Amino acid sequence: QVQLVESGGGSVQAGGSLTLSCAASVDTGSVDAMAWFRQVQGKEREGVAALEKDGTTNYAESVKGRFTISRDNGKNTLYLQMNSLKPDDTAMYYCAAASYTDLIATLEVWAYNYWGQGTQVTVSS
């Protein structure tokens, strides 16, 4: 069983930055992939950024060039650095882990079998 705990959310003005953290109960280098997703109430959860065990990354088009996913295996922690935030980035952000997947750095919700509780990010204009 993998436990994931997100932190770092908050309120920020447009153009600002936030860094989200996800503390994992297992070695983050041992899972196939980890990712960040976000969800606005009433809408489907969407993939934001994914990080494969070999270091391959994948980003949603809407965040490319602004967000960076990374991990510190020594701390068993996944990060999401978010810059140039926009009001459209407002959502609950979730950390996810896939113990095994054939897909590479996928942003598909169904590929991930462990999820955190989420941390809210609110960007005001």
Side-chain angles (χ1 to χ4, degrees):
Q1 187 74 10
V2 177
Q3 293 182 326
L4 304 170
V5 179
E6 302 96 334
S7 62
S11 297
V12 65
Q13 288 193 325
S17 298
L18 281 174
T19 299
L20 304 183
S21 299
C22 171
S25 62
V26 297
D27 179 4
T28 48
S30 68
V31 297
D32 266 13
M34 296 191 73
W36 290 96
F37 290 80
R38 65 187 181 188
Q39 187 170 22
V40 176
Q41 196 168 7
K43 294 188 177 181
E44 290 187 356
R45 191 168 295 189
E46 64 172 357
V48 175
L51 177 60
E52 189 67 22
K53 184 161 57 176
D54 68 358
T56 301
T57 57
N58 185 22
Y59 295 92
E61 284 296 325
S62 60
V63 306
K64 278 184 180 177
R66 300 189 298 122
F67 290 10
T68 302
I69 188 171
S70 64
R71 67 175 177 233
D72 184 334
N73 291 338
K75 296 181 178 180
N76 294 335
T77 302
L78 181 74
Y79 301 99
L80 184 68
Q81 174 68 44
M82 304 185 294
N83 298 325
S84 303
L85 283 162
K86 305 175 181 179
D88 283 349
D89 295 318
T90 295
M92 184 71 78
Y93 282 71
Y94 297 90
C95 173
S99 51
Y100 176 76
T101 175
D102 286 335
L103 304 177
I104 304 298
T106 182
L107 294 177
E108 296 287 348
V109 172
W110 56 264
Y112 293 85
N113 52 336
Y114 296 104
W115 293 85
Q117 294 300 307
T119 184
Q120 178 68 37
V121 172
T122 302
V123 184
S124 58
S125 57

